[in-house]
Amino acid sequence: MITFAENHRPLILVTNDDGIDAKGIRVLAEIAREMGNVLVVASEAPHSAMSHAITVREPLYLTKTCQDDHLIMYKSNGTPADCVKLALHNLLERRPDMVLSGINHGTNSSSSVHYSGTLGAAREGAINGLPSVGFSVLDFSADADFSAAAPFCRHIIGQVIEQGLPAGTFLNVNIPKGNELKGIKVCRQAQGKWMEEFVEHQDPRGRNYFWLTGYFQNLEPQATDTDEYALGHGFVSLVPCKVDISDKDLMESMKSQGYEMNVKGVQTL
Amino acid sequence: MITFAENHRPLILVTNDDGIDAKGIRVLAEIAREMGNVLVVASEAPHSAMSHAITVREPLYLTKTCQDDHLIMYKSNGTPADCVKLALHNLLERRPDMVLSGINHGTNSSSSVHYSGTLGAAREGAINGLPSVGFSVLDFSADADFSAAAPFCRHIIGQVIEQGLPAGTFLNVNIPKGNELKGIKVCRQAQGKWMEEFVEHQDPRGRNYFWLTGYFQNLEPQATDTDEYALGHGFVSLVPCKVDISDKDLMESMKSQGYEMNVKGVQTL
């Protein structure tokens, strides 16, 4: 079990889905280290688009890669959500004060929140009752420039340390590429989808294969309260997200639409 | 591209996360086949707990495994969500009328909806604007008995064919084990989590490994409107779920809590 010197400092767990060698997680760990003791647990390899996947059919390994002032790092062969579970159950002596995931190289706005390993890790933190935030910069390149993003990450982390987050919620923060950021907007998730295409080719053995590609389409380009709108206007988008995905309105209408039934002779629940 | 004879019948896409050889998907395909033309596209291997993961770094393959009356089957090396994308973009000549996923061997109630490959596939259907349902039976065994579950699946599929589902929603259906099912209840997702443990051992090369295990804990056992309550009382639970996970209430409070900011001189968005 890990113990930090100066353990009165906030204890911050950091992970990501681009892998422990990505530039984005080093930037995020350094920001977190200004404010607290930081445990990084991240995948040894990239796990983009792993969503909230967890590993149930294979064993997981943990290897310490760094111990420095206020910073300890481990790599694992698990998914981002696995890394959160491993940290909470096998490494940390006490519950962390927050879980940070990222900074992802590439967008996780709109419905991409569901494919994202970055946000899967943040949701895992929230399921465990911890204030959790996923950060992404709209730049897929390995050497993306995070210098403009850093002050905004710092602001949001500071707010969460100060105020906490309600149980069952987590934050999805996306940050435009470039240096002309205009501010932070609290938004809702835009309705949107990836317009998929599969590149089709033959492999060296003559079998046809399909490789996923595509482009994102905002299905409500007129709406001004969405993450896509904020990002398109140079603002950092901040979407508070729920673990509970029940559709309460639809529940009511389905009850009157004949979905419920009782087997003959059984009393209604 | 696939074309079916009698193409006036509903076109139903079926997938799962236990793999194409699982008993549950064969049962679901047979139920769907009573009502329409059925394309099964499913993983060649089990993909439990794959959530909404998609494959972006590897090519995908498709192999036809069966062609029968009103039934065509393909296996793929992709995730459940990949299978939906492959079917929509590379196999089907027209959009299907619905997407069915399952019947999963094991529970996907409460927060397990987020880990589930079964429900990842259903959400993928919903993101693509298709009425989508994930079915799970609370029995992990490979030879689980689906005979009691079948009439309830049939009822729900019939309702969805008749009435459709609102855009951006999908259904999470869980069915108790055993033959004494009492009916169907429309519910909300219970607050709950897996109380994790990792079994720790040494591998043959002397490295310590961790293997995920645990048990589910319902964090609101008193609530009577949850899926856990319905399942615990012998009812099939039906939770309508949203693709949009924005927390609208929290959005409002965060705006007044100092999360938003504008860079000096920038006009508020």
Side-chain angles (χ1 to χ4, degrees), chain B residues 6-50:
Chain B
E6 297 185 53
N7 72 9
H8 60 279
R9 289 166 60 103
L11 178 57
I12 304 176
L13 173 61
V14 174
T15 190
N16 76 340
D17 76 357
D18 291 316
I20 197 156
D21 295 324
K23 185 176 174 186
I25 195 169
R26 281 182 283 139
V27 172
L28 188 55
E30 287 305 322
I31 294 169
R33 197 181 182 183
E34 298 163 10
M35 309 184 209
N37 293 327
V38 177
L39 172 65
V40 172
V41 184
S43 303
E44 58 200 5
H47 273 91
S48 295
M50 275 303 271

Side-chain angles (χ1 to χ4, degrees), chain B residues 152-181:
Chain B
F152 295 92
C153 298
R154 209 172 272 124
H155 175 79
I156 291 166
I157 296 167
Q159 288 285 123
V160 174
I161 287 178
E162 203 172 291
Q163 308 190 31
L165 284 174
T169 61
F170 57 104
L171 303 182
N172 183 13
V173 177
N174 282 269
I175 303 167
K177 186 176 172 173
N179 292 310
E180 309 253 312
L181 303 182

Side-chain angles (χ1 to χ4, degrees), chain A:
Chain A
M1 287 288 171
I2 288 171
T3 46
F4 283 93
E6 298 184 50
N7 72 7
H8 60 279
R9 289 166 60 104
L11 178 58
I12 304 175
L13 172 61
V14 175
T15 190
N16 76 341
D17 77 355
D18 292 316
I20 197 156
D21 295 325
K23 185 175 174 185
I25 195 169
R26 282 182 282 139
V27 171
L28 187 56
E30 286 305 323
I31 294 169
R33 195 181 182 182
E34 298 163 9
M35 309 184 208
N37 293 328
V38 178
L39 173 65
V40 172
V41 184
S43 303
E44 59 201 5
H47 272 91
S48 294
M50 275 301 272
S51 186
H52 204 135
I54 54 174
T55 305
V56 292
R57 285 181 307 277
E58 285 171 39
L60 298 175
Y61 294 88
L62 275 170
T63 309
K64 192 192 274 192
T65 63
C66 164
Q67 171 131 20
D68 200 352
D69 284 351
H70 309 306
L71 177 68
I72 296 176
M73 297 177 77
Y74 279 81
K75 67 178 179 182
S76 150
N77 58 328
T79 65
D82 287 333
C83 290
V84 173
K85 289 181 188 286
L86 283 166
L88 298 184
H89 299 286
N90 291 71
L91 291 175
L92 288 171
E93 205 173 38
R94 71 167 176 92
R95 281 165 62 79
D97 297 294
M98 67 191 314
V99 177
L100 305 178
S101 184
I103 301 173
N104 190 62
H105 295 240
T107 177
N108 282 315
S109 58
S110 181
S111 57
S112 299
V113 67
H114 293 300
Y115 304 109
S116 163
T118 306
L119 275 300
R123 192 196 285 108
E124 184 61 32
I127 288 176
N128 282 282
L130 301 168
S132 302
V133 189
F135 294 98
S136 309
V137 161
L138 276 59
D139 185 346
F140 284 95
S141 62
D143 66 342
D145 182 0
F146 295 98
S147 53
F152 295 92
C153 299
R154 208 172 273 124
H155 174 79
I156 291 166
I157 297 167
Q159 289 285 122
V160 174
I161 287 179
E162 203 172 291
Q163 308 189 33
L165 284 174
T169 60
F170 57 104
L171 304 182
N172 183 13
V173 177
N174 282 270
I175 305 167
K177 186 177 172 174
N179 291 310
E180 309 253 313
L181 303 182
K182 294 184 174 161
I184 301 174
K185 283 296 287 180
V186 174
C187 326
R188 66 176 174 86
Q189 171 189 329
Q191 289 171 42
K193 58 172 282 202
W194 286 85
M195 305 303 285
E196 258 96 31
E197 293 161 28
F198 284 89
V199 174
E200 192 174 350
H201 280 301
Q202 277 200 342
D203 73 13
R205 286 175 188 76
R207 293 180 69 200
N208 280 359
Y209 67 73
F210 305 91
W211 209 310
L212 187 62
T213 178
Y215 60 93
F216 177 79
Q217 187 177 34
N218 180 359
L219 295 175
E220 41 177 353
Q222 308 305 322
T224 60
D225 59 346
T226 67
D227 50 2
E228 292 301 317
Y229 184 83
L231 292 165
H233 288 77
F235 280 77
V236 173
S237 68
L238 194 172
V239 177
C241 299
K242 296 165 79 165
V243 172
D244 179 0
I245 60 170
S246 315
D247 188 329
K248 306 284 162 54
D249 296 334
L250 185 51
M251 275 175 64
E252 291 316 307
S253 60
M254 288 182 80
K255 284 179 187 174
S256 61
Q257 281 173 342
Y259 276 95
E260 293 200 332
M261 57 169 280
N262 295 320
V263 169
K264 206 176 161 185
V266 166
Q267 215 181 336
T268 301
L269 190 61

Side-chain angles (χ1 to χ4, degrees), chain A residues 60 85 114-115 124 196, chain B residues 85 114-115 124 196 210 243:
Chain A
L60 298 175
K85 289 181 188 286
H114 293 300
Y115 304 109
E124 184 61 32
E196 258 96 31
Chain B
K85 289 182 188 285
H114 293 301
Y115 304 111
E124 184 61 32
E196 257 97 29
F210 305 91
V243 171

Side-chain angles (χ1 to χ4, degrees), chain B:
Chain B
M1 288 286 169
I2 288 172
T3 46
F4 283 92
E6 297 185 53
N7 72 9
H8 60 279
R9 289 166 60 103
L11 178 57
I12 304 176
L13 173 61
V14 174
T15 190
N16 76 340
D17 76 357
D18 291 316
I20 197 156
D21 295 324
K23 185 176 174 186
I25 195 169
R26 281 182 283 139
V27 172
L28 188 55
E30 287 305 322
I31 294 169
R33 197 181 182 183
E34 298 163 10
M35 309 184 209
N37 293 327
V38 177
L39 172 65
V40 172
V41 184
S43 303
E44 58 200 5
H47 273 91
S48 295
M50 275 303 271
S51 185
H52 205 135
I54 54 174
T55 305
V56 292
R57 285 180 307 275
E58 285 171 37
L60 298 175
Y61 294 88
L62 275 170
T63 309
K64 192 192 274 193
T65 63
C66 165
Q67 171 129 23
D68 200 352
D69 284 351
H70 309 307
L71 177 67
I72 296 175
M73 298 178 76
Y74 279 81
K75 67 178 181 181
S76 149
N77 59 327
T79 65
D82 287 334
C83 290
V84 174
K85 289 182 188 285
L86 283 167
L88 298 183
H89 299 286
N90 291 72
L91 291 176
L92 288 171
E93 205 174 37
R94 70 168 177 92
R95 280 166 63 79
D97 297 294
M98 66 191 315
V99 177
L100 305 178
S101 184
I103 302 173
N104 191 61
H105 295 239
T107 177
N108 283 316
S109 58
S110 181
S111 57
S112 299
V113 66
H114 293 301
Y115 304 111
S116 164
T118 306
L119 274 300
R123 192 195 284 109
E124 184 61 32
I127 288 175
N128 283 281
L130 302 168
S132 302
V133 189
F135 293 98
S136 310
V137 161
L138 278 58
D139 185 346
F140 284 95
S141 62
D143 67 344
D145 182 0
F146 295 98
S147 53
F152 295 92
C153 298
R154 209 172 272 124
H155 175 79
I156 291 166
I157 296 167
Q159 288 285 123
V160 174
I161 287 178
E162 203 172 291
Q163 308 190 31
L165 284 174
T169 61
F170 57 104
L171 303 182
N172 183 13
V173 177
N174 282 269
I175 303 167
K177 186 176 172 173
N179 292 310
E180 309 253 312
L181 303 182
K182 293 185 176 160
I184 301 173
K185 283 295 287 181
V186 174
C187 327
R188 66 176 174 86
Q189 171 188 329
Q191 291 172 41
K193 57 173 282 202
W194 287 85
M195 306 302 285
E196 257 97 29
E197 293 161 27
F198 284 90
V199 174
E200 193 173 349
H201 280 302
Q202 277 199 343
D203 72 13
R205 286 176 186 75
R207 292 179 69 198
N208 280 359
Y209 67 73
F210 305 91
W211 208 310
L212 187 61
T213 178
Y215 59 94
F216 178 79
Q217 188 177 33
N218 180 359
L219 296 175
E220 42 177 352
Q222 308 306 322
T224 60
D225 59 345
T226 68
D227 49 2
E228 292 302 317
Y229 183 83
L231 292 165
H233 288 76
F235 281 77
V236 173
S237 67
L238 195 172
V239 178
C241 299
K242 297 165 78 164
V243 171
D244 179 1
I245 60 170
S246 316
D247 187 330
K248 306 284 162 55
D249 296 334
L250 186 52
M251 275 176 64
E252 291 316 306
S253 59
M254 289 182 80
K255 285 179 186 174
S256 62
Q257 281 172 342
Y259 277 94
E260 293 200 331
M261 57 169 281
N262 294 320
V263 169
K264 205 175 160 185
V266 166
Q267 214 179 340
T268 301
L269 189 60

